[in-house]
Amino acid sequence: MKQTECTTILVGKKASIDGSTMIARSEDGGRTIVPEAFKVVMPNDQPQHYESVISHQKIDDSDLLPDPLRYTSAPDASNENGIWAAAGINSDNVAMTATETITTNSRIQGIDPLLEKGGLGEEDFVTLTLPYIHSAQEGVERVGYLLEKYGTYEMNGMAFSDKDEIWYLETIGGHHWAARRIPDDAYVIAPNRLNIDEFYFETPGFMASNDLQDLIEEYHLNPDEPNQYNLRHIFGSSTIKDAHYNNPRAWYVHRYFDPDFDGQPGDQDQPFITYPKHKISVEDIKFLESSHYQDTPFDAYGDQGTPEQKKTFRPIGINRNFETHILQIRNDVPSGIAGVQWLAFGPNTFNSMVPFYTNITTTPASFQTGPKFDLNKIFWLNKLTAQLGDTNFRVYGALEEDFEQKSLAQCHKIQHDTDKEAVNFSGDELQDKLDAANQKMADTVYNNTVELLGNMVKEGHGLMTLKYDLLD
């Protein structure tokens, strides 16, 4: 079973540089490499009968609704442990990312335990939700229904977006849940902890299991003042692990968006809803999803800290990044080109994102990863550049910066040209146009990555330990 430990970033439409909504997540795994792919699921390919591979939970056919929508996904390449669709945008321009592994505590587990048999998990949620929803709020309602009916065996957070709204949902115990709409002018950083803090029942912008408030009162779960609900305090954790593994990631993001942000990396009560000092771009999100505490003593590649400090906190960019996405719904273009799934595979310190249009019928071959090592696939190529780059970041990091800026600029140019040309197309012709643009961007980034690898080999030639020269 794959355990993903991710980092989620959400950006409301008034907090983004171009008025789009953006929901992003790095899909991280454990010590075993988990190859990820990029696929389009057509309505006829959506399962008509469903059983989870991990839990063997069967879904009633009546809950696999008629007329599913087409959607993109980033599934595991092997399918050994199920689909794990991870993230995508459907043909109604509704996006979903699932899931962020989060924390819990013994109090709620003693009341509504996680299931030991059956139930749904990260393997299932996108496949059972994204093709059936027509708005971000419908995503919350759909997952809430599934959780209450089938339950879950793990704690997870997930996000939904459309052109106007972003909602973030967290599972609570085996059958409960809560969700909050993210304000349009705010951003969220959600590491692997229960993240929702202030919560107002029966208030617009907040949704939860019908009995959640009664459950809090009945079992005396609220440690704060009466009628003041902080779900992180009630259902989450505040542990030493949080102080080293989770909270520092939030601290670094807050510090990036607000240099005057007050606090320490391990602080337990860092805010869930936060307001940036400047408009947020895709490049900002990519930098943060690649970050490793640059310009602090905690940077594993830096020269400020001691060896102990460099290992103190878990960074966002890490060797266990296997797939990272930014799901963008744009508001300044026609609906046929509004959905963009920015996608990168492998460790984020040595890759570049590609802005794939999602109104498509196929994906580029280099992003259709197979489970075996294959340098024709961008996933495996990125893994190679990252592992080589990690041997001497001071030398190879500068090459990566040039590569990423070049790749993003070229993709932006292709996207701008395609946006302008797309107004003359519709239906199948538009999809063919977008398929071609996606292929061009995938080829561009693949070729740039090969060039990066070649430049790294050239730079590294003289740095090898196994060398001998009479002039040395």
Side-chain angles (χ1 to χ4, degrees):
M1 183 188 305
K2 182 182 74 170
Q3 180 182 6
T4 43
E5 299 177 341
C6 316
T7 305
T8 294
I9 298 175
L10 315 174
V11 181
K13 63 182 181 180
K14 292 183 179 178
S16 69
I17 198 170
D18 64 351
S20 63
T21 58
M22 294 188 284
I23 61 176
R25 183 170 61 91
S26 63
E27 187 180 8
D28 308 339
R31 294 183 177 181
T32 301
I33 296 175
V34 182
E36 307 291 343
F38 180 42
K39 294 185 178 180
V40 179
V41 182
M42 303 300 287
N44 290 339
D45 297 328
Q46 178 67 6
Q48 297 181 0
H49 310 282
Y50 189 88
E51 180 178 349
S52 301
V53 172
I54 292 173
S55 67
H56 303 291
Q57 176 67 60
K58 292 184 178 180
I59 302 300
D60 294 340
D61 288 351
S62 60
D63 286 331
L64 300 172
L65 305 177
D67 302 319
L69 300 173
R70 183 196 73 242
Y71 63 100
T72 56
S73 69
D76 284 6
S78 71
N79 258 350
E80 290 178 359
N81 294 313
I83 299 173
W84 295 77
I89 300 175
N90 70 25
S91 54
D92 270 4
N93 286 332
V94 179
M96 177 181 181
T97 179
T99 66
E100 179 81 27
T101 304
I102 61 174
T103 56
T104 182
N105 63 51
S106 59
R107 296 183 297 279
I108 182 60
Q109 290 304 315
I111 299 164
D112 181 17
L114 294 172
L115 275 63
E116 295 183 2
K117 182 179 181 181
L120 304 177
E122 182 171 354
E123 168 197 346
D124 313 297
F125 284 117
V126 171
T127 300
L128 295 177
T129 304
L130 188 55
Y132 306 116
I133 59 176
H134 306 275
S135 70
Q137 185 169 330
E138 280 191 19
V140 173
E141 294 167 351
R142 168 75 174 172
V143 170
Y145 166 79
L146 294 172
L147 287 169
E148 292 175 21
K149 180 172 182 177
Y150 298 103
T152 183
Y153 53 85
E154 59 188 11
M155 291 286 292
N156 282 313
M158 59 197 80
F160 311 87
S161 65
D162 52 40
K163 67 183 180 65
D164 293 315
E165 296 187 350
I166 296 174
W167 283 81
Y168 180 74
L169 177 149
E170 293 184 317
T171 66
I172 297 171
H175 297 86
H176 291 81
W177 58 275
R180 182 172 181 180
R181 184 184 184 278
I182 309 307
D184 293 341
D185 57 347
Y187 77 88
V188 161
I189 165 65
N192 300 119
R193 65 182 182 193
L194 197 143
N195 292 280
I196 299 175
D197 48 20
E198 295 179 356
F199 197 85
Y200 301 91
F201 289 95
E202 300 180 1
T203 301
F206 297 83
M207 299 171 66
S209 311
N210 288 333
D211 63 340
L212 190 64
Q213 186 174 13
D214 292 338
L215 181 147
I216 293 170
E217 306 302 339
E218 179 182 356
Y219 291 96
H220 313 291
L221 298 179
N222 190 0
D224 300 318
E225 295 296 322
N227 300 318
Q228 294 182 7
Y229 298 97
N230 183 313
L231 299 193
R232 194 185 305 163
H233 294 172
I234 296 170
F235 299 117
S237 62
S238 181
T239 65
I240 297 298
K241 179 180 178 180
D242 288 324
H244 286 259
Y245 195 85
N246 297 326
N247 305 338
R249 284 180 275 164
W251 167 81
Y252 191 77
V253 172
H254 293 320
R255 189 173 178 265
Y256 176 86
F257 286 129
D258 180 3
D260 298 323
F261 178 76
D262 189 25
Q264 297 297 317
D267 288 350
Q268 300 285 4
D269 273 331
Q270 296 181 48
F272 175 62
I273 302 295
T274 321
Y275 300 88
K277 291 293 182 70
H278 63 81
K279 301 290 187 179
I280 298 173
S281 68
V282 164
E283 284 80 1
D284 289 324
I285 298 175
K286 174 55 168 67
F287 170 81
L288 291 168
E289 292 286 10
S290 307
S291 64
H292 39 89
Y293 304 113
Q294 291 94 315
D295 293 327
T296 78
F298 314 115
D299 183 2
Y301 291 141
D303 55 9
Q304 294 186 31
T306 66
E308 291 75 19
Q309 286 177 308
K310 294 173 185 289
K311 297 179 180 180
T312 301
F313 302 131
R314 186 233 135 129
I316 298 176
I318 199 169
N319 67 315
R320 296 184 280 109
N321 301 140
F322 293 138
E323 174 268 320
T324 301
H325 52 265
I326 304 171
L327 307 179
Q328 182 183 34
I329 310 297
R330 301 185 292 171
N331 280 296
D332 60 344
V333 296
S335 61
I337 58 173
V340 178
Q341 183 161 349
W342 294 78
L343 188 62
F345 291 147
N348 289 326
T349 47
F350 279 88
N351 64 21
S352 181
M353 298 200 108
V354 183
F356 290 119
Y357 293 95
T358 57
N359 182 14
I360 53 174
T361 58
T362 188
T363 58
S366 60
F367 279 76
Q368 295 178 13
T369 313
K372 295 183 179 181
F373 186 82
D374 180 356
L375 288 180
N376 291 310
K377 306 300 182 182
I378 192 74
F379 177 92
W380 293 108
L381 185 61
N382 284 342
K383 282 294 296 176
L384 179 59
T385 58
Q387 288 181 223
L388 176 57
D390 184 73
T391 64
N392 194 328
F393 187 78
R394 185 181 295 275
V395 172
Y396 300 128
L399 296 175
E400 193 282 332
E401 288 180 9
D402 292 343
F403 148 78
E404 188 167 0
Q405 184 173 53
K406 175 182 176 180
S407 297
L408 286 172
Q410 290 174 333
C411 285
H412 277 308
K413 181 65 167 61
I414 295 169
Q415 188 183 48
H416 293 326
D417 291 344
T418 304
D419 284 352
K420 292 175 183 177
E421 296 168 2
V423 297
N424 301 314
F425 298 90
S426 62
D428 292 344
E429 288 185 329
L430 176 59
Q431 289 181 334
D432 289 344
K433 180 71 176 176
L434 301 184
D435 283 337
N438 284 357
Q439 185 66 57
K440 187 175 182 179
M441 290 188 288
D443 290 345
T444 296
V445 173
Y446 179 87
N447 291 334
N448 288 349
T449 308
V450 172
E451 181 182 48
L452 170 64
L453 180 60
N455 290 335
M456 293 168 73
V457 170
K458 292 175 184 177
E459 281 295 320
H461 170 69
L463 302 176
M464 291 179 64
T465 300
L466 191 64
K467 60 181 180 178
Y468 187 88
D469 194 312
L470 291 175
L471 299 178
D472 285 348

